[in-house]
Amino acid sequence: MPKILVLNGPNLNLLGDREIQHYGKDSLDTINQRLAEQGKRLGLEVTAFQSNAEAPLIDRVHAAKSDETAYIIINPAAFTHTSAALRDALAAVRIPFIEVHLSNIHAREEFRRHSYFSDLAAGVIAGLGPVGYELAL
């Protein structure tokens, strides 16, 4: 069964309470449950991981290399615009990934329009809310 890793960056643990005009009302747990159910239907093993800190996300990307993760779905959140280190980790393990954003980062503040990940990603999904994760899967 192919393994899919879903990574979520800082503050996404607050989904459902935080800025619902941008991020919607679904909690991260709800999103992860839907992905796990969809994964089972598709014959995929879906594992989710969230951290508010950069180092645990990098460590989890490194671990993906040895646990035979086939694909990564990542919402780097604020690290999208700041983390060369997380980008380097993804480049180093050479596991294909899709970058997901709940909001349309191109319609928001100027600093949110640049991603350290998009040029490495197999695809980018932005602005579709939680459905973006399901489409990535």
Side-chain angles (χ1 to χ4, degrees):
M1 185 178 298
K3 294 181 181 182
I4 309 299
L5 175 60
V6 181
L7 288 177
N8 285 286
N11 300 309
L12 292 174
N13 58 305
L14 300 176
L15 288 178
D17 291 325
R18 172 183 175 235
E19 299 176 275
I20 58 175
Q21 73 277 15
H22 292 298
Y23 306 115
K25 294 182 180 180
D26 289 350
S27 70
L28 187 57
D29 285 340
T30 299
I31 293 168
N32 289 336
Q33 288 171 357
R34 279 199 304 259
L35 289 174
E37 291 167 7
Q38 180 183 0
K40 284 181 186 174
R41 289 191 303 274
L42 296 170
L44 302 170
E45 180 183 330
V46 178
T47 302
F49 181 79
Q50 187 274 332
S51 180
N52 292 319
E54 190 175 39
L57 291 167
I58 292 168
D59 289 342
R60 187 59 189 95
V61 169
H62 291 176
K65 181 78 170 176
S66 61
D67 74 9
E68 299 180 2
T69 293
Y71 221 92
I72 296 173
I73 298 169
I74 183 169
N75 183 342
F79 290 142
T80 302
H81 326 291
T82 64
S83 184
L86 186 54
R87 172 203 165 84
D88 289 350
L90 287 162
V93 299
R94 296 185 307 276
I95 297 170
F97 69 93
I98 294 178
E99 179 182 351
V100 174
H101 299 283
L102 294 160
S103 68
N104 180 355
I105 60 173
H106 303 288
R108 298 192 55 202
E109 302 93 337
E110 181 67 33
F111 76 90
R112 293 189 195 275
R113 296 176 189 164
H114 177 263
S115 169
Y116 278 87
F117 303 89
S118 296
D119 65 316
L120 296 178
V124 178
I125 300 171
L128 300 179
V131 172
Y133 286 94
E134 296 170 36
L135 293 171
L137 189 60

